[in-house]
Amino acid sequence: MARYDVSRAELAGLLSDQPRYRVDQVWEGLYGQLIGPEEMTTLPRALRDRLAAGRELAPALGEVTCSVSDRGATRKWLWELADGARIETVLMEYDRRATVCVSSQVGCAMGCGFCATGQAGFGRNLSVGEIVEQVVRAGAARAGRPANVVFMGMGEPLANYPRVWSAVERLHDDLGISARHITVSTVGIVPGIRRLAGEALPVNLAVSLHAANDGLRDRLVPINRRYPLRDLLAACDAYRRAKGRRLSFEWALMAGVNDRAEDAAELADIAVPMGAHVNLIPLNPTPGWADTGSAPRVVRSFRDRLVSLGVNATVRRNRGTEIDAACGQLAAGAGRLAG
Ligand code: SAH
Ligand code: SF4
């Protein structure tokens, strides 16, 4: 249990010897002002000290490092959790609108070979509080709740469904981040996508496609063997219909692997009928994978080809690569987490 794992009812229990309005004050401090009990000057000193000393409202994240790049526009935190595990969070500012990229697990079990997190193996699921606190800490650092949250850090969010979803509800209900500004990115866990379609909050769904045929996708994204494209696309279509939200496909461009004209044509065949947006990002090289990212010229011509085929495609700027902060290739500087 940590600061952002505590529910309002649990907080009321902690403050049962206090006037009732103290619950609102502490909740407002945590979720409105983004501060810990030690900074809540609205509370009497003795209560502040008691809450600050107790374990119940202790922070879950200990800052190991915070690196800044892009002239201050990108910040990456490396956090240590209570059990010593490490995760990362990235904050990006575009035109004064901030996006926080959060981790949902320590490592990842999905084994995508090109991904630094996948190469590290699986550690454990993050708790609700460990997820929510990433957003709060990033918000506190910029003096304001971020506008957007993307689940594109370490881990596969739909493999930690209950906690990720409770965190989404907390971000929405208590931090006030609108569902249309929350994006869950998945490698393609079909039952998770179907479950997401049944939730009340219409969050954005991003699917890491990377290949538009099963042969190549089996190799790049091993979970495709369990949930092949046909099933994945049916689930995506169901999500889109249930939510009325535009879907997006992530496509990490690898030189000579998925950046050729025929790859664009295959991708367009899938994206056009679904009205999906395609996010292109040149692969960030990692030590454990031989393919390299497509050259800028190839990235542009791939995008132009998609656009000429009627696809809404954009190139995601590869932010913060100089500090290894690019969202989606976080490794916490770790070696393998699991055998
Ligand atoms: N597990 C989820 C979310 C975290 S990964 C998922 O896979 O969608 C976030 C994004 O970063 C995914 O689209 C993933 O494919 C991408 N990614 C991982 N490694 C990358 C790399 N080396 N270069 C570029 N994108 C990468
Ligand atoms: Fe996990 Fe996503 Fe990396 Fe694949 S790309 S290993 S699902 S974090």
Side-chain angles (χ1 to χ4, degrees):
M1 261 302 186
R3 190 167 286 180
Y4 290 93
D5 282 306
V6 171
S7 68
R8 212 184 173 105
E10 286 162 339
L11 182 63
L14 265 177
L15 297 172
S16 57
D17 60 338
Q18 298 289 321
R20 293 192 52 159
Y21 62 85
R22 295 275 179 236
V23 178
D24 296 328
Q25 276 180 329
V26 174
W27 200 260
E28 166 57 24
L30 291 174
Y31 291 92
Q33 296 164 269
L34 313 180
I35 57 174
E38 63 286 350
E39 294 177 86
M40 295 179 188
T41 48
T42 49
L43 304 179
R45 183 90 218 190
L47 176 60
R48 212 192 309 165
D49 290 347
R50 187 187 97 195
L51 294 178
R55 284 190 24 217
E56 298 88 347
L57 296 185
L61 311 176
E63 184 176 315
V64 180
T65 55
C66 175
S67 353
V68 180
S69 70
D70 266 347
R71 292 196 217 95
T74 305
R75 272 180 271 191
K76 180 184 76 165
W77 285 268
L78 173 62
W79 310 107
E80 186 162 271
L81 310 177
D83 63 356
R86 290 180 168 201
I87 55 159
E88 293 177 335
T89 304
V90 182
L91 169 67
M92 293 158 282
E93 305 264 358
Y94 313 86
D95 308 327
R96 295 229 239 83
R97 282 171 64 82
T99 297
V100 177
C101 174
V102 297
S103 295
S104 56
Q105 299 180 311
V106 176
C108 182
M110 297 297 130
C112 308
F114 58 86
C115 168
T117 308
Q119 289 163 16
F122 180 64
R124 66 169 173 86
N125 285 323
L126 295 189
S127 72
V128 177
E130 287 166 337
I131 297 169
V132 172
E133 195 174 318
Q134 293 174 64
V135 180
V136 170
R137 298 285 285 272
R142 66 182 295 278
R145 171 194 76 183
N148 306 294
V149 176
V150 296
F151 283 82
M152 292 188 184
M154 303 169 77
E156 166 50 43
L158 299 186
N160 183 17
Y161 195 105
R163 294 171 199 88
V164 163
W165 192 255
S166 298
V168 165
E169 290 180 326
R170 209 44 97 65
L171 296 175
H172 175 268
D173 299 350
D174 298 301
L175 269 188
I177 298 174
S178 87
R180 64 185 58 244
H181 290 143
I182 299 175
T183 300
V184 172
S185 175
T186 179
V187 69
I189 312 270
V190 167
I193 295 173
R194 297 218 173 255
R195 193 165 161 193
L196 208 58
E199 304 284 2
L201 293 176
V203 298
N204 300 308
L205 180 65
V207 174
S208 300
L209 207 58
H210 308 314
N213 66 73
D214 282 319
L216 179 59
R217 199 162 190 273
D218 281 351
R219 188 164 77 73
L220 298 180
V221 178
I223 198 72
N224 192 71
R225 295 172 206 154
R226 181 127 144 239
Y227 305 117
L229 277 169
R230 206 187 131 97
D231 299 352
L232 173 59
L233 297 173
C236 289
D237 202 42
Y239 189 82
R240 182 174 75 90
R241 286 171 194 282
K243 296 285 169 239
R245 305 302 315 264
R246 191 176 69 179
L247 198 71
S248 53
F249 291 133
E250 306 285 308
W251 193 274
L253 282 160
M254 305 177 204
V257 175
N258 64 356
D259 66 352
R260 300 156 307 169
E262 58 265 40
D263 300 308
E266 228 171 35
L267 170 55
D269 283 344
I270 289 177
V272 169
M274 292 235 228
H277 180 96
V278 172
N279 258 318
L280 302 169
I281 179 171
L283 184 82
N284 278 301
T286 57
W289 188 255
D291 293 321
T292 56
S294 309
R297 179 184 47 81
V298 178
V299 173
R300 279 194 301 274
S301 68
F302 192 85
R303 189 224 25 226
D304 292 346
R305 188 172 291 271
L306 285 177
V307 170
S308 73
L309 292 168
V311 180
N312 190 327
T314 50
V315 177
R316 190 160 88 197
R317 233 188 96 198
N318 216 337
R319 282 193 162 238
T321 34
E322 69 269 38
I323 55 160
D324 214 10
C327 195
Q329 56 128 31
L330 307 177
R336 286 191 66 81
L337 293 165

